Amino acid sequence: FLCRTTSMLAQKIKRFLEVLAYTANVSIACEEAGIPRPTVYDRRRFDPVFREKERARLKAYRAKKKAEKEASREGTVGGSDD
């Protein structure tokens, strides 16, 4: 029973990290993964591997948003070829 529970939690953590990378929103990621927020906060505090994975997902999200913003800005600065 413990192995199945651990495996289920691992799957939920994986889903949490996937959604976090897409939304950068802990509440939404927790809801989508079926994990209570306190569980994530405990993991962050006590599990350095999880903490690093979470930071990496958030960093990737910010980089993606920055690139999208810059691409959007470049698209509006160039004007039209009419």
Side-chain angles (χ1 to χ4, degrees):
F1 178 73
L2 183 59
C3 289
R4 186 172 55 216
T5 302
T6 302
S7 176
M8 288 173 50
L9 180 58
Q11 290 174 351
K12 288 180 177 190
I13 293 293
K14 181 180 177 186
R15 179 67 180 147
F16 167 82
L17 292 169
E18 290 170 353
V19 175
L20 186 68
Y22 185 74
T23 65
N25 185 305
V26 172
S27 295
I28 292 171
C30 284
E31 186 175 323
E32 287 290 321
I35 300 174
R37 281 184 306 175
T39 299
V40 169
Y41 300 144
D42 287 344
R43 279 273 177 158
R44 185 186 296 157
R45 186 177 316 122
F46 299 114
D47 183 346
V49 173
F50 172 81
R51 186 170 48 246
E52 185 53 40
K53 287 180 180 181
E54 183 184 39
R55 285 180 182 163
R57 298 317 188 279
L58 292 171
K59 184 177 180 181
Y61 175 86
R62 287 191 293 271
K64 182 179 109 180
K65 288 299 179 182
K66 182 179 179 184
E68 288 173 356
K69 187 176 181 181
E70 288 174 1
S72 174
R73 192 175 322 132
E74 288 174 7
T76 58
V77 171
S80 65
D81 291 341
D82 292 331

